[in-house]
Amino acid sequence: SLTTCTRGMWRSRRAVGEVLRAAARRSAGPRCLHRSEHLAAAAATTRAPRGLDIDARCPRPGRGSRRDSLASSRSFSADASASSRGACWSCGVATTASDLFFCGGCGGVLPALAEGDDANGSLLLFRVLGVDPPRFAVSNDELERAMKNLQKILHPDKFSTAPNVAREHSADQASLVNRAYATLRDPLRRAKYMLRAAGAGVAEESGMGDEQGAAADPALLMEVMETREAIERAGDDAGALGAMASANELAEHACVAAVGDAMDAGDLATARKETVRLTYLARIRDEIKRRLPPG
């Protein structure tokens, strides 16, 4: 009938209009952004590494399966999808914390999250590099691979023809990735980052106490003094300094392992104590290196 025909034409016209409006919305975003490429690359990068060691310099097989009591055992995705980040600057689609780098609607690069903006607490840097759930036992190889993959899609050169806002967001995102890599690849910085998130931070300036003002262990202070005196006595004796450097390196590896064990057990007091000791050992390493002759 005429009525049925008219209704059919109206439905067809409305469908065509919806298609055209959708195409217009997609074309409104920056043309240099390729949604499928960005989202696929980001998804591949943020898969959680498995079976990782505490530190590439001190292999300890099987630690990737241990329990981490400092951080929640839930994956980041458990909470991320529920938290809104507001509307995408490019297409206006609502975004959530799971849209870490790119809009899920148009693929536009999003503003970089700040530590306090992350719905998963204050361990954002782990999420940036795909360490899910966050844990102390990570390998430098996995972190470097994640960093390089992200820089391939977030580098500002990729957005040279995009609007200014996209270039600014890409620069901020690339900076966040670099900060995450620099923090997590170093065992000492990683330990301090995790302890601070757990409310048991180590004082940054002295490295010998905690952020609540508690003093360091007197025995450790005595050890620090004796070691510094030994370095002074060694003077420019390369043999003596080299022997001290080797002993200090072994002590660092043992200390990193102790920090990891304490983190896994949820023993914040021991983790903080060992992190203070690791701070001291790192400074001794730098002092010996400064005194050793070049080459």
Side-chain angles (χ1 to χ4, degrees), residues 9 31 43 74 81 88 93 100 111 143 156 172 190 220 223 276:
M9 292 175 62
R31 296 182 182 277
R74 295 184 302 169
S81 61
C88 170
V93 170
L100 184 57
L143 295 175
D172 290 342
R190 185 166 71 241
L220 177 59
E223 183 181 350
V276 169

Side-chain angles (χ1 to χ4, degrees), residues 191-225:
K192 288 183 176 181
Y193 178 68
M194 295 184 72
L195 286 170
R196 189 176 304 111
V202 173
E204 287 294 332
E205 291 187 5
S206 66
M208 302 306 297
D210 61 31
E211 292 179 344
Q212 287 71 42
D217 183 0
L220 177 59
L221 295 176
M222 180 63 68
E223 183 181 350
V224 170
M225 183 178 67

Side-chain angles (χ1 to χ4, degrees), residues 63-113:
R63 293 188 64 88
S65 61
R66 300 177 309 165
R67 178 177 59 88
D68 182 0
S69 299
L70 283 181
S72 170
S73 60
R74 295 184 302 169
S75 66
F76 282 123
S77 58
D79 292 329
S81 61
S83 176
S84 174
R85 291 192 60 187
C88 170
W89 64 271
S90 178
C91 68
V93 170
T95 60
T96 68
S98 61
D99 300 314
L100 184 57
F101 302 110
F102 300 102
C103 171
C106 70
V109 62
L110 295 173
L113 281 174

Side-chain angles (χ1 to χ4, degrees), residues 10 39 88 125 217 230 284:
W10 173 249
L39 297 182
C88 170
L125 301 187
D217 183 0
I284 293 298

Side-chain angles (χ1 to χ4, degrees), residues 100-164:
L100 184 57
F101 302 110
F102 300 102
C103 171
C106 70
V109 62
L110 295 173
L113 281 174
E115 204 75 49
D117 297 335
D118 189 22
N120 299 282
S122 53
L123 291 171
L124 172 65
L125 301 187
F126 282 94
R127 184 179 167 217
V128 167
L129 294 183
V131 183
D132 180 8
R135 58 191 178 277
F136 186 77
V138 294
S139 79
N140 287 346
D141 288 342
E142 292 288 343
L143 295 175
E144 183 176 6
R145 188 177 304 115
M147 180 270 294
K148 289 182 176 179
N149 287 340
L150 286 170
Q151 290 296 6
K152 288 178 182 178
I153 60 174
L154 290 169
H155 195 278
D157 288 350
K158 294 284 187 179
F159 302 86
S160 58
T161 61
N164 288 338

Side-chain angles (χ1 to χ4, degrees), residues 182-254:
T183 299
L184 301 186
R185 72 184 299 271
D186 180 80
L188 177 56
R189 294 183 65 179
R190 185 166 71 241
K192 288 183 176 181
Y193 178 68
M194 295 184 72
L195 286 170
R196 189 176 304 111
V202 173
E204 287 294 332
E205 291 187 5
S206 66
M208 302 306 297
D210 61 31
E211 292 179 344
Q212 287 71 42
D217 183 0
L220 177 59
L221 295 176
M222 180 63 68
E223 183 181 350
V224 170
M225 183 178 67
E226 291 175 352
T227 303
R228 293 194 181 281
E229 290 176 351
I231 293 175
E232 291 294 333
R233 288 194 301 270
D236 58 356
D237 186 339
L241 291 172
M244 294 175 66
S246 296
N248 193 76
E249 182 178 8
L250 292 176
E252 277 194 87
H253 287 166

